[in-house]
Amino acid sequence: MWAEISPPGGVICPPASNVSARRREWENHEMSSLPTIAVTGSTGGLGRLVAANLAEANIQQRLLVRNPAKAPEFPGSVVLPFSYLDRAASTEALDGVDVLFMVSGSESVDRVDQHRAFIDSAKTAGVGHIVYTSFFGASPTSTFTLGRDHDATERYIESTGIPHTFLRDNLYIDFMDALVGEDGVIRGPAADGRVAAVAREDIARVASTVIQDPGSHRDATYLLTGSEALTLDEVAKILSAHRPTPVTFHNETLDEAYASRARYGAPDWQNDAWVSTYTSIAAGEMAELSDDVKRITGRTPITLDQFLSQ
Ligand SMILES: NC(=O)c1ccc[n+]([C@@H]2O[C@H](COP(=O)([O-])OP(=O)(O)OC[C@H]3O[C@@H](n4cnc5c(N)ncnc54)[C@H](OP(=O)(O)O)[C@@H]3O)[C@@H](O)[C@H]2O)c1
């Protein structure tokens, strides 16, 4: 069970941000003194790494977060409450922003609507460039069903005319270990397809490079992969070397895949997303290797074995 996905019962978008809390935040900041780089998702895995990379490069940033209590602290960073659906808070928080790093929101049935609302706010606020974390092979016909959401979001950003950079991330290496069930088995209809999984730390280095020089990456689409494309059998062997007990891969049929996930009681779109994570691998849609990480960051992307050894 897995997709690009929070587990059942995971993060759910809370109601629109509290207006008085927002006002209090804003009263402490002169508009003109706010940093002109905005980062979303810094309370999550990828956005936090992007924000940390920018801070390391002495870049001041606005951290747009749903829950300020969870926001990381960096020198010169300013925390602003918002959520993708909260047009007023988003437009205020984005006023004067030159470069916006936009992570895709948590999976939900209305994620594309949330993205569109936020992109509308960016347009209204006059944002100069959007760096969006998309998904590998995003297209209206992606086997991985959520790849279609990413395609819809990319097309919507394009329709606004805002200069942009799309980072099409392969599956995260960071989550390969989470594919393993309690019984030590990775289950899914991936057959002998290959996945060119990439570490969030490599994606974050690409993002922070692009954010610091957006003009050089204007309207570009990058394919972010690791340096090897592995079958899930090979993934299982590598994971086994880092665990006390061996991991194996079971190539489920489609029927088995839906049946083994039924106990989570998830809605159909979620089950389709989970299962199609594997069928997209079987279809060869996650296998292509790209040198974009190396070209942009100058560093060879880390392997699963290196990630697990860290
Ligand atoms: N390529 C892959 O394999 C893969 C795997 C997992 C996820 N993803 C996608 O990549 C994104 C980033 O990955 P991650 O590992 O950093 O995920 P993560 O740890 O779940 O973090 C997601 C971040 O986005 C914020 N967020 C979610 N929905 C939002 C909304 N409606 N409005 C404002 N902020 C919102 C979350 O805020 P809160 O802290 O308030 O929840 C959190 O900061 C995910 O959101 C997901 O779309 C891709």
Side-chain angles (χ1 to χ4, degrees):
M1 186 280 300
W2 185 76
E4 53 157 331
I5 281 190
S6 320
V11 176
I12 293 173
C13 189
S17 63
N18 176 296
V19 174
S20 59
R22 195 165 77 228
R23 289 227 174 88
R24 275 200 303 279
E25 284 276 335
W26 275 94
E27 277 160 15
N28 294 330
H29 300 289
E30 285 298 324
M31 290 282 297
S32 57
S33 68
L34 287 172
T36 58
I37 288 175
V39 172
T40 64
S42 67
T43 55
L46 180 61
R48 184 177 295 258
L49 290 172
V50 172
N53 273 307
L54 291 172
E56 220 169 279
N58 292 318
I59 308 287
Q60 298 193 346
Q61 52 195 309
R62 299 181 197 188
L63 301 177
L64 273 54
V65 299
R66 292 197 285 193
N67 178 358
K70 282 171 63 185
E73 283 180 31
F74 298 109
S77 67
V78 175
V79 175
L80 299 172
F82 89 122
S83 80
Y84 287 159
L85 273 181
D86 186 339
R87 288 288 317 271
S90 297
T91 306
E92 264 185 296
L94 290 171
D95 188 37
V97 164
D98 292 333
V99 189
L100 164 65
F101 176 68
M102 176 183 171
V103 297
S104 47
S106 307
E107 292 75 17
S108 64
V109 73
D110 69 340
R111 179 162 67 161
V112 177
D113 292 336
Q114 294 189 27
H115 287 174
R116 287 191 180 124
F118 187 55
I119 294 159
D120 285 344
S121 301
K123 179 79 179 164
T124 306
V127 165
H129 189 114
I130 298 176
V131 181
Y132 172 66
T133 64
S134 183
F135 199 82
F136 202 73
S139 107
T141 56
S142 297
T143 300
F144 178 49
T145 52
L146 299 182
R148 302 169 199 172
D149 288 2
H150 289 286
D151 172 72
T153 303
E154 287 188 2
R155 303 290 76 75
Y156 199 71
I157 292 172
E158 279 175 346
S159 77
T160 64
I162 300 174
H164 53 267
T165 309
F166 298 144
L167 309 182
R168 290 188 171 181
D169 311 340
N170 204 294
L171 294 182
Y172 294 159
I173 273 182
D174 314 50
F175 291 166
M176 290 292 113
D177 197 58
L179 299 179
V180 184
E182 282 168 10
D183 56 357
V185 181
I186 300 174
R187 285 194 171 72
D192 56 359
R194 292 184 176 274
V195 55
V198 60
R200 284 188 293 199
E201 64 184 69
D202 284 316
I203 300 168
R205 272 191 282 272
V206 170
S208 112
T209 305
V210 170
I211 289 165
Q212 291 177 65
D213 183 16
S216 299
H217 305 277
R218 185 181 166 134
D219 299 348
T221 297
Y222 295 125
L223 305 187
L224 304 189
T225 73
S227 21
E228 56 191 4
L230 302 169
T231 64
L232 292 191
D233 256 330
E234 291 166 345
V235 168
K237 286 194 179 71
I238 294 167
L239 292 174
S240 296
H242 293 269
R243 284 174 161 236
T245 52
V247 174
T248 57
F249 167 57
H250 172 65
N251 181 32
E252 288 180 316
T253 63
L254 262 189
D255 285 347
E256 280 175 340
Y258 278 97
S260 66
R261 288 155 181 80
R263 66 195 159 104
Y264 296 108
D268 288 350
W269 69 266
Q270 181 95 76
N271 283 314
D272 290 340
W274 286 336
V275 172
S276 64
T277 305
Y278 295 87
T279 50
S280 71
I281 296 174
E285 293 177 19
M286 304 307 294
E288 183 186 344
L289 285 170
S290 154
D291 65 358
D292 284 348
V293 170
K294 175 84 189 285
R295 227 164 27 78
I296 295 163
T297 66
R299 293 168 67 148
T300 303
I302 66 168
T303 63
L304 175 59
D305 184 56
Q306 288 166 338
F307 176 80
L308 295 167
S309 301
Q310 281 179 167

